[in-house]
Amino acid sequence: MLTRWRRMARLHPRLAEAAFLLLTYAATSNQYRRIGTAAIWWPGFALAALTCACLLARRRHAGPVVVLTALATALVAGAGGVLGPLILLPVIIALYELTLRSSLHATRAHCLFAIFVLLPAALRSGQHGDPWANQVVTLLFFVLLPVVYGSQVRARRAYLDAVHARAEHAERTREEEARHRVIEERVRIARELHDVVAHHMALANAQAGTIAHLWNTRPQQVEGILTDLTRTTTTALRELQATVGLLRQPDDSDEPLQPAPGLALLPDLVSAFASAGLHIALTTEGQARPLCPGADLTAFRILQEALTNVAKHAPVTTAHVHLAYTPDQLTLTVSNDSSSLPPPHAADGGFGLIGMRERAQSAGGRLTAGHRPDGGYAVTAQLPIQP
């Protein structure tokens, strides 16, 4: 039944407001009688009509409406009316609306004003046989009741508004977050495929070029390089299959995962480049320490990509790899003595260096690349030992 009335009030707000004010007027004016007599105080009807008419502005001017209703009620009570909940009804309605729409400071000030104005009328009612303490308690109760209840309703509405705002914000940003995650995943997949495919394809291309060069001059060396070429392409297919399989499998922690490559495979990497005609001079400074899995994979991929760039773009036969260990950091440097290496943005359209920088940053480190003052080119990455 209550839900039905609320629905009707939302559909016909003006009719509901008129009915509400008429009921308030009927309840209030019926109490305008003089104490000790059944005679009706007829001027009170006009005052009741004025008081209820003030309630029309309670939503826009709640403070002045509280003041007017309190003064009118005090005037009626001072003229002999019975100070009870029905005669206080306009004040209760005005205080409730003020609590919903004004600040806490304004609500307190108007509440104290209403008590101050109506308290003499309550004390005067106690002179006619009703204990004054009962009148004061009744006054305080019915003046404070709309303030307390209105505060609870206001807090509840604020909570619901916050919930709705968060829900709307989540709805608006859900698609954007999904798009952002898709872009991040595409970048990650592109970086992984680039590191796997580009390295092995460049290495296979270098080995094939070496075979073509030695076919007529030193054919006895071709067989060994062909074996290395087969091993390179087999490794490329295996890593590509593992990468694609890892991307396709469901997110299940029980599924066994193959170990990611790390610096432990550096000798194999050196051997593979040696078969392609690139000699790697490897030096180590400090005590070698095991890296966390993320930093270990990052260090290997950076070395792999940097050496691949040397093999593809630098007209040299030797590259230098320097590993410097400190208690909390690994600094790896890949350099060569060629001064004709293309600038960083020219290699692979920039994807190689971009991928190396992204990997270094994701592991908590940083990467620099550029021409050396004394000639040549160097790529330096600083990676934390532990995350």
Side-chain angles (χ1 to χ4, degrees):
M1 186 66 179
L2 184 60
T3 305
R4 182 181 177 183
W5 282 111
R6 288 179 177 175
R7 187 184 303 112
M8 292 182 61
R10 287 195 297 267
L11 294 176
H12 308 283
R14 294 185 178 181
L15 182 61
E17 181 77 4
F20 172 74
L21 293 179
L22 287 176
L23 290 176
T24 304
Y25 174 74
T28 304
S29 61
N30 190 42
Q31 301 300 311
Y32 287 179
R33 301 173 183 272
R34 296 182 183 277
I35 297 177
T37 179
I40 297 177
W41 187 48
W42 291 103
F45 282 95
L47 192 58
L50 179 62
T51 304
C52 293
C54 292
L55 295 177
L56 288 171
R58 68 186 185 278
R59 293 186 177 89
R60 292 178 306 219
H61 308 286
V65 170
V66 171
V67 173
L68 291 176
T69 54
L71 291 174
T73 303
L75 180 60
V76 172
V82 179
L83 191 63
L86 292 180
I87 205 172
L88 289 171
L89 188 58
V91 180
I92 294 173
I93 296 173
L95 282 173
Y96 173 75
E97 201 69 37
L98 176 70
T99 306
L100 293 181
R101 302 179 182 277
S102 300
S103 63
L104 181 61
H105 176 74
T107 302
R108 288 177 178 175
H110 286 84
C111 182
L112 291 176
F113 173 81
I115 294 174
F116 176 78
V117 170
L118 295 171
L119 188 59
L123 295 176
R124 184 179 180 279
S125 299
Q127 298 177 1
H128 299 276
D130 195 9
W132 66 270
N134 292 349
Q135 294 293 325
V136 173
V137 170
T138 300
L139 173 65
L140 294 177
F141 176 79
F142 285 107
V143 170
L144 295 177
L145 177 63
V147 175
V148 174
Y149 181 70
S151 300
Q152 296 296 324
V153 173
R154 182 173 182 173
R156 176 66 177 174
R157 290 181 179 178
Y159 170 75
L160 292 177
D161 290 342
V163 170
H164 292 159
R166 287 196 297 268
E168 292 176 357
H169 177 72
E171 187 68 24
R172 288 194 304 268
T173 58
R174 183 179 304 163
E175 184 176 350
E176 181 180 350
E177 290 178 358
R179 188 183 303 110
H180 180 67
R181 291 179 181 178
V182 168
I183 293 174
E184 286 185 343
E185 188 66 13
R186 290 177 61 184
V187 171
R188 187 180 71 86
I189 295 173
R191 185 170 60 241
E192 293 294 334
L193 293 178
H194 176 275
D195 291 342
V196 172
V197 177
H199 160 68
H200 291 292
M201 292 301 295
L203 193 58
N205 181 70
Q207 291 171 337
T210 304
I211 292 173
H213 176 71
L214 298 177
W215 183 265
N216 296 322
T217 58
R218 285 176 286 180
Q220 66 275 10
Q221 297 182 7
V222 171
E223 183 177 357
I225 300 178
L226 281 174
T227 303
D228 293 335
L229 177 59
T230 302
R231 186 184 304 113
T232 299
T233 55
T234 302
T235 303
L237 290 175
R238 184 171 61 250
E239 290 194 21
L240 183 60
Q241 183 180 8
T243 302
V244 174
L246 182 62
L247 294 173
R248 290 178 62 88
Q249 75 177 20
D251 187 11
D252 189 354
S253 59
D254 295 334
E255 291 289 337
L257 300 178
Q258 296 296 328
L263 293 181
L265 299 179
L266 186 55
D268 296 336
L269 187 65
V270 172
S271 176
F273 277 104
S275 66
L278 179 65
H279 176 69
I280 298 175
L282 177 62
T283 58
T284 303
E285 178 184 347
Q287 181 65 35
R289 301 182 59 192
L291 281 71
C292 65
D296 198 18
L297 173 62
T298 299
F300 180 80
R301 291 303 189 195
I302 290 176
L303 285 174
Q304 186 182 63
E305 178 64 23
L307 291 173
T308 301
N309 286 341
V310 174
K312 290 168 59 178
H313 303 291
V316 296
T317 58
T318 302
H320 304 276
V321 175
H322 181 70
L323 304 178
Y325 289 90
T326 62
D328 58 352
Q329 182 176 269
L330 166 65
T331 302
L332 59 91
T333 303
V334 179
S335 60
N336 64 86
D337 298 329
S338 173
S339 59
S340 60
L341 188 69
H345 62 271
D348 295 329
F351 294 127
L353 284 176
I354 290 175
M356 287 190 287
R357 286 196 178 95
E358 289 176 348
R359 284 191 177 276
Q361 292 174 359
S362 66
R366 62 190 185 93
L367 182 138
T368 57
H371 294 279
R372 297 186 300 175
D374 54 349
Y377 198 85
V379 174
T380 302
Q382 296 175 335
L383 304 174
I385 299 286
Q386 298 296 329

